[in-house]
Amino acid sequence: MSKLYFRHGAMNSGKSTALLQVAHNYEERNQRVLLIKPAIDTKGDNKVVSRLGVVREVDFLLLPTMNLRDEVSKRAGADASSEIACLLIDEAQFMTAEQVDQALEIAVLDNIPVLAYGIRTDFQTKGFPGSIRLLEISHSLEELKTICRCGKKALFNARLKNGKFTFAGDQVAIDGDKVTYESLCPSCYFAELGKK
């Protein structure tokens, strides 16, 4: 039986790079992968963009209204040469809870391993719906680690607007021109929040 994997970590922990490496490994062995990301992630448009500079176009962008299992089935192909060996999902926190359930169905009922990569929480330390559901039902959880500016393990994703930390706003703001993010340990996060 195939499994649903959730590989999570704070920003800058190498999630997209790891996903692209997995894709390379499968394809090096002449196995087909299907690479997707939720359409809400506008960074890189229809591409997975690693901070190391590696870029790859996705097979399709997942809209919130799409049924993930139906979309994968459409692309699976009728002959064995086009079978999907693995489904790779970048920015999985932006999936709906229903799409995560569909990812589990793909793994269990369609026997296609599903590797989902994403962050657990937003800049206010609140869980994303997709991440919450992945934490609840994934067969395997793996934390990808990165460090805070102080050298401790980073756990939180702090949002900066115009170079200043902000702790209010919409849950989703894709980093780029208007906002950026910094991975912080809990101590540094609380210090920026003004708590002592």
Side-chain angles (χ1 to χ4, degrees):
M1 177 184 78
S2 294
K3 295 180 180 178
L4 172 60
Y5 300 84
F6 183 35
R7 295 178 175 167
H8 60 86
M11 295 182 87
N12 297 308
S13 61
K15 296 177 299 298
S16 296
T17 303
L19 177 146
L20 293 170
Q21 182 64 51
V22 169
H24 172 77
N25 290 347
Y26 271 93
E27 291 170 340
E28 191 175 48
R29 288 156 186 83
N30 295 316
Q31 295 185 9
R32 180 179 171 210
V33 299
L34 198 61
L35 189 98
I36 68 166
K37 74 174 190 175
I40 193 170
D41 178 30
T42 56
K43 182 179 178 182
D45 297 317
N46 65 339
K47 296 175 180 67
V48 172
V49 179
S50 163
R51 284 182 171 80
L52 290 181
V54 183
V55 177
R56 176 172 171 167
E57 192 170 317
V58 298
D59 292 292
F60 70 93
L61 293 171
L62 183 65
L63 298 170
T65 56
M66 286 179 165
N67 179 303
L68 178 60
R69 189 172 181 212
D70 288 349
E71 293 300 319
V72 170
S73 178
K74 285 179 198 173
R75 290 161 175 82
D79 62 70
S81 65
S82 65
E83 284 183 8
I84 299 167
C86 183
L87 173 61
L88 299 169
I89 306 169
D90 197 32
E91 304 295 350
Q93 71 271 8
F94 296 136
M95 295 170 65
T96 66
E98 294 78 16
Q99 289 169 335
V100 173
D101 289 343
Q102 295 155 8
L104 180 64
E105 291 173 2
I106 291 166
V108 175
L109 302 176
D110 301 331
N111 201 32
I112 299 171
V114 178
L115 284 73
Y117 293 79
I119 56 178
R120 293 182 309 152
T121 61
D122 65 16
F123 71 110
Q124 295 175 321
T125 72
K126 305 271 193 270
F128 285 96
S131 298
I132 292 168
R133 192 67 181 138
L134 282 160
L135 289 166
E136 292 171 337
I137 66 170
S138 293
H139 291 95
S140 176
L141 301 172
E142 180 184 344
E143 182 181 19
L144 303 176
K145 297 172 180 69
T146 192
I147 59 170
C148 177
R149 59 186 174 202
C150 71
K152 294 178 189 169
K153 179 180 135 182
L155 186 62
F156 299 129
N157 306 297
R159 182 182 288 171
L160 293 99
K161 190 170 184 178
N162 299 321
K164 297 189 188 252
F165 286 97
T166 182
F167 297 92
D170 293 335
Q171 185 175 47
V172 177
I174 305 302
D175 67 320
D177 295 336
K178 297 182 194 261
V179 298
T180 58
Y181 292 88
E182 183 178 344
S183 301
L184 298 174
C185 72
S187 297
C188 290
Y189 182 88
F190 286 133
E192 293 298 341
L193 191 57
K195 294 194 174 193
K196 300 193 186 233

